[in-house]
Amino acid sequence: MNSLAKFVIVMGVSGSGKTETARRLAAATKGALLDADDYHPAENVDHMRRGLPLDDAMRWPWLDALCQAAIATRAELTSRAIAAPLPGLPTPPIFIACSALKRRYRDFLRTHLGADLIFVFLDGPRDLILDRMNNRAGHFMPAALLDSQLADLEPLGPDEDPLTISIMAPIDDIVWQVLDDLTARNDRESGTEASVSADEKTTSTGG
């Protein structure tokens, strides 16, 4: 997939399947994976483990650390692409699993990572997500925080141009739907660019 997006953020509340979906997308496209949970400072993790939601003051340093990691990863991927035996191939996208619940958090990510960014929102019913959270092991986020996350979740506006995917389907179907949607978006954007280039060429040669 020759994605025009440098970053694809797989977002949603805890338990929606962000990390596994992003992992499979990265594997399918030979892209990179970043899990935002890995960039929480220890005090944030301890706070959530005790069943306490994070406030904005605790989230900004976390989001900043995530952005710095994403930028560094992008630079590394670009360097590898330049040094590859077949230079000129597109740099694969970076898939980031991140809740990105509030509009201001998503604006922060856009500001720091640039416009070449797509949000994939994993949407699903509370009961299904709660069941997943109750049956997973080894994660610091307790199921008791699900309702606070759902309360914080702000719908993505049309100006954010998101991909919204239902988590009711099997994970493989979800991954292929995301890939199909990203490919279709890429084709539309590429077609638009080609059309603009042709129009410019015609104008420059006197039509």
Side-chain angles (χ1 to χ4, degrees), residues 7-167:
F7 305 100
V8 178
I9 298 182
V10 182
M11 60 162 289
V13 299
S14 183
S16 60
K18 300 184 296 294
T19 300
E20 182 61 17
T21 301
R23 184 188 70 77
R24 295 192 186 205
L25 288 167
T29 60
K30 301 188 185 304
L33 168 67
L34 293 179
D35 187 346
D37 283 347
D38 295 337
Y39 298 92
H40 276 297
E43 53 267 30
N44 281 14
V45 174
D46 181 63
H47 199 79
M48 289 182 283
R49 186 172 280 126
R50 289 186 285 122
L52 302 173
L54 302 180
D55 58 24
D56 282 0
M58 304 177 80
R59 290 182 187 274
W60 298 129
W62 161 62
L63 289 172
D64 185 63
L66 174 63
C67 288
Q68 293 305 315
I71 292 167
T73 302
R74 179 69 187 181
E76 180 180 353
L77 289 177
T78 301
S79 297
R80 288 181 187 174
I82 293 172
L86 296 174
L89 294 177
T91 302
I94 299 171
F95 292 90
I96 303 173
C98 178
S99 54
L101 299 177
K102 296 183 180 181
R103 174 65 188 249
R104 56 182 173 271
Y105 305 156
R106 299 191 292 269
D107 287 344
F108 183 97
L109 293 168
R110 270 186 288 264
T111 298
H112 287 75
L113 297 180
D116 292 334
L117 179 154
I118 294 174
F119 286 100
V120 176
F121 172 43
L122 299 183
D123 189 23
R126 176 187 181 279
D127 289 348
L128 173 60
I129 296 171
L130 181 62
D131 183 66
R132 290 181 176 184
M133 294 182 75
N134 283 328
N135 286 284
R136 68 180 180 181
H139 198 282
F140 57 79
M141 176 71 77
L145 284 179
L146 175 58
D147 286 334
S148 71
Q149 289 225 320
L150 290 169
D152 282 346
L153 177 61
E154 296 177 357
L156 287 92
D159 61 308
E160 297 184 84
D161 197 21
L163 299 179
T164 299
I165 305 293
S166 170
I167 64 171

